[in-house]
Amino acid sequence: MTGSNDKTPGGPGRRLPRARAMEEFRAAPTFVLVEPQMGENIGATARAMLNFGVKSLRLVNPRDGWPNEKAGAMAAGASAVLDDVQVFDSLDAALHDSRYVIATTARRRELMLPVLELREAAATAQARIAAGDPCAVVFGGERNGLSSDDVARADAILSVPVNPAFASLNLAQAACLVAYEWSAAARAGAETEEVDEEALDRRPAERAHVASLVDHLIDALDRANYFRPPEKRPLMTRNLRVALSRAGFTSPEVQSLHGALKALERSGNAS
Amino acid sequence: MTGSNDKTPGGPGRRLPRARAMEEFRAAPTFVLVEPQMGENIGATARAMLNFGVKSLRLVNPRDGWPNEKAGAMAAGASAVLDDVQVFDSLDAALHDSRYVIATTARRRELMLPVLELREAAATAQARIAAGDPCAVVFGGERNGLSSDDVARADAILSVPVNPAFASLNLAQAACLVAYEWSAAARAGAETEEVDEEALDRRPAERAHVASLVDHLIDALDRANYFRPPEKRPLMTRNLRVALSRAGFTSPEVQSLHGALKALERSGNAS
């Protein structure tokens, strides 16, 4: 069980329809906004999420802090989302309990990641969630979108098929489209859903474990003076992070890799 | 040919990619906002439309007049839509050259109209447009949405499958979803598109002709003292309007019906 599944949503004595709605919410992806700027956009995002039954919203370093009055004004009553917003100081922290991560970005071909069109991404997220893996969809801030280092944390890139002559999609509109397609995929999936016990054994590790493995590897490589020339270090670390983040390692595999790394470090120190 | 097809988009000396984009625009539906209130929402709608290659925007009695500074600020450069906005003083006027009309409304079952889910509605619009029929999608204002008399002008109702516990969709978000699904349907349709010559003979009349037929019939019935008791007149006229608007009459059929109506009037006056 993951951290997000351990939470008890809602209070005592709640009515059944709300309880059932909450069940749906728990099975929806988490939306993560990285350095969002305008409270109005956070509020409009919350509203669009709730329109399609997506409730979990996390913010990484919102420019104007949190809570934000303007977000409340634009959310038009979507307090079921806004009241439970979680704020983090790094994307890694915001993704800690996710097991599948999709990054929304217009820069498609920059990293060695699979590119999923919106509908395909929603179906993939739905299948992962049905298999028991918490999913996160990551959105960049209004000005610059996601950095390459942010995208490097993802399993896949989500691309919205926009008009190439006018491709800049508003943050809340992008969130609305993802929520809408996720909800369509969830309705389609509900008709055929089965728990695949074998797939549970193959489920990817929580993101916190993958991130710590990457950090471990980079530390070890730093000590081994691997990143040369030094100006290439950012690109080299990013490429490593991409490869390991999207690898879909299970928790036992991550543990094994940690052990392997330690063994290599010891042997290197000994030599 | 319809009025909207007769327009020459773009200026002289434009580059080819823009010309091709314009071709796509011409084949997109027209979005009609009935009594929109906030300029910000009109601007955000224009931006979302252009993101998905929908360019034609018409307003019916915008609360704050037109042009509207706040719309420009929110449109983030979508001047290709905003510069060509057309303003009308009635929905009938805004629909005059449409041949297929879809109304977006949450009140699904009120009128005797087919209800299409968003994706189905987009596919229908795409098929109609491929057959040469200009389509319009009508959105209500922020406060009250579309009136029943507005919806009565449509061929079909479009329903967005929202979370029933939080169903109020922002105007620009609704427009974004329709534009997105239309663009997906257009891309799918482009792969298999063929001109069906026979279908052109069956194409529905322009809305202006249908509206004048309904007005003609209601005038005639008023003179015939048909609407009794008088308090039932609004409902009775609306039901007539629904039935005739969604009937898909061709232009020759509308002409025949006008003629039939005139004949009935003459004979009634003579008796």
Side-chain angles (χ1 to χ4, degrees):
Chain A
M1 292 297 278
T2 70
S4 66
N5 280 347
D6 292 335
K7 281 192 297 183
T8 307
R14 60 188 194 274
R15 289 164 304 149
L16 233 166
R18 183 166 166 82
R20 186 183 302 160
M22 283 300 184
E23 284 301 322
E24 281 174 23
F25 287 148
R26 260 193 290 188
T30 292
F31 281 16
V32 181
L33 310 188
V34 179
E35 297 181 8
Q37 301 193 321
M38 295 179 64
E40 292 88 339
N41 283 333
I42 302 172
T45 297
R47 178 179 176 174
M49 289 169 63
L50 195 54
N51 281 142
F52 297 102
V54 180
K55 184 175 172 291
S56 170
L57 177 60
R58 296 177 179 182
L59 309 178
V60 178
N61 297 327
R63 184 189 66 185
D64 301 333
W66 192 261
N68 180 319
E69 237 175 60
K70 287 177 180 171
M74 272 300 284
S79 54
V81 173
L82 283 191
D83 292 351
D84 292 341
V85 160
Q86 294 175 292
V87 181
F88 297 88
D89 61 6
S90 75
L91 179 56
D92 275 340
L95 296 176
H96 69 281
D97 56 356
S98 299
R99 289 169 191 264
Y100 189 74
V101 176
I102 299 174
T104 61
T105 175
R107 295 194 299 275
R108 298 167 54 122
R109 305 286 174 201
E110 198 169 301
L111 299 167
M112 294 298 294
L113 286 171
V115 177
L116 307 176
E117 249 206 23
L118 175 50
R119 196 162 294 171
E120 196 184 1
T124 304
Q126 197 278 328
R128 294 289 183 143
I129 288 169
D133 297 340
C135 286
V137 183
V138 186
F139 301 84
E142 291 93 332
R143 187 163 310 181
N144 297 316
L146 293 174
S147 73
S148 295
D149 280 329
D150 294 332
V151 178
R153 266 84 182 164
D155 289 276
I157 287 172
L158 182 158
S159 141
V160 180
V162 285
N163 174 7
F166 192 76
S168 159
L169 203 59
N170 168 273
L171 172 59
Q173 302 283 35
C176 179
L177 291 169
V178 175
Y180 161 73
E181 280 288 9
W182 172 79
S183 131
R187 277 178 294 128
E191 288 162 20
T192 58
E193 200 163 305
E194 274 179 36
V195 176
D196 180 348
E197 296 289 342
E198 278 184 48
L200 281 179
D201 290 339
R202 294 191 306 268
R203 71 193 301 212
E206 291 186 7
R207 248 341 181 252
H209 300 166
V210 178
S212 81
L213 175 66
V214 175
D215 292 342
H216 184 180
L217 175 62
I218 291 173
D219 277 355
L221 293 173
D222 272 331
R223 281 193 297 273
N225 201 19
Y226 165 80
F227 297 112
R228 287 186 299 187
E231 60 268 29
K232 283 205 174 173
R233 184 180 183 280
L235 182 63
M236 294 169 81
T237 56
R238 186 187 302 153
N239 288 343
L240 285 170
R241 192 177 295 280
V242 168
L244 297 177
S245 296
R246 65 144 208 271
F249 295 134
T250 64
S251 291
E253 287 168 346
V254 170
Q255 280 188 301
S256 304
L257 288 166
H258 269 297
L261 203 49
K262 275 183 207 154
L264 290 173
E265 289 182 281
R266 274 194 304 268
S267 109
N269 292 340
S271 74
Chain B
M1 293 298 277
T2 70
S4 65
N5 279 346
D6 292 337
K7 280 193 296 181
T8 307
R14 60 187 195 273
R15 290 165 303 152
L16 232 168
R18 183 168 166 80
R20 187 184 300 160
M22 283 301 184
E23 284 300 320
E24 281 174 22
F25 288 149
R26 262 194 288 189
T30 292
F31 281 17
V32 181
L33 311 187
V34 178
E35 296 180 9
Q37 301 192 321
M38 296 179 65
E40 292 88 339
N41 284 333
I42 301 172
T45 297
R47 177 178 176 176
M49 289 169 63
L50 195 54
N51 281 143
F52 296 103
V54 180
K55 185 176 172 287
S56 170
L57 177 60
R58 296 178 178 181
L59 309 178
V60 178
N61 298 327
R63 183 190 65 186
D64 300 333
W66 193 260
N68 181 319
E69 240 175 59
K70 288 178 178 169
M74 273 299 283
S79 55
V81 174
L82 283 191
D83 291 351
D84 291 340
V85 161
Q86 295 175 292
V87 180
F88 296 87
D89 61 5
S90 75
L91 178 56
D92 276 338
L95 296 176
H96 69 281
D97 55 356
S98 300
R99 289 169 190 264
Y100 189 74
V101 176
I102 299 173
T104 61
T105 176
R107 295 193 300 275
R108 298 166 55 119
R109 305 287 174 201
E110 197 169 298
L111 298 167
M112 294 299 292
L113 285 171
V115 177
L116 307 176
E117 251 207 23
L118 174 50
R119 196 160 295 172
E120 195 184 1
T124 304
Q126 198 278 327
R128 293 291 184 142
I129 288 169
D133 296 340
C135 284
V137 184
V138 185
F139 301 83
E142 292 91 332
R143 187 164 307 181
N144 297 315
L146 293 174
S147 72
S148 297
D149 279 328
D150 294 332
V151 179
R153 265 86 182 164
D155 290 275
I157 287 171
L158 182 158
S159 142
V160 179
V162 286
N163 175 5
F166 192 75
S168 160
L169 202 59
N170 168 273
L171 171 59
Q173 303 282 38
C176 179
L177 292 168
V178 176
Y180 161 73
E181 280 288 11
W182 172 79
S183 130
R187 276 178 296 129
E191 290 163 19
T192 57
E193 200 164 303
E194 276 178 36
V195 176
D196 181 346
E197 297 289 341
E198 275 184 49
L200 282 178
D201 290 339
R202 294 191 306 267
R203 70 193 300 214
E206 292 186 6
R207 249 341 183 253
H209 300 166
V210 178
S212 81
L213 176 67
V214 175
D215 292 343
H216 184 179
L217 175 62
I218 291 172
D219 278 354
L221 293 173
D222 272 331
R223 280 194 296 272
N225 202 19
Y226 166 79
F227 297 111
R228 288 186 298 186
E231 59 270 28
K232 284 205 171 170
R233 185 179 182 281
L235 182 63
M236 294 169 81
T237 56
R238 184 186 306 152
N239 288 343
L240 285 171
R241 192 176 296 280
V242 168
L244 297 177
S245 296
R246 68 145 206 272
F249 295 134
T250 63
S251 291
E253 286 168 347
V254 170
Q255 279 188 302
S256 302
L257 289 166
H258 269 298
L261 203 48
K262 273 183 207 156
L264 291 172
E265 289 183 279
R266 274 195 303 268
S267 110
N269 291 338
S271 75

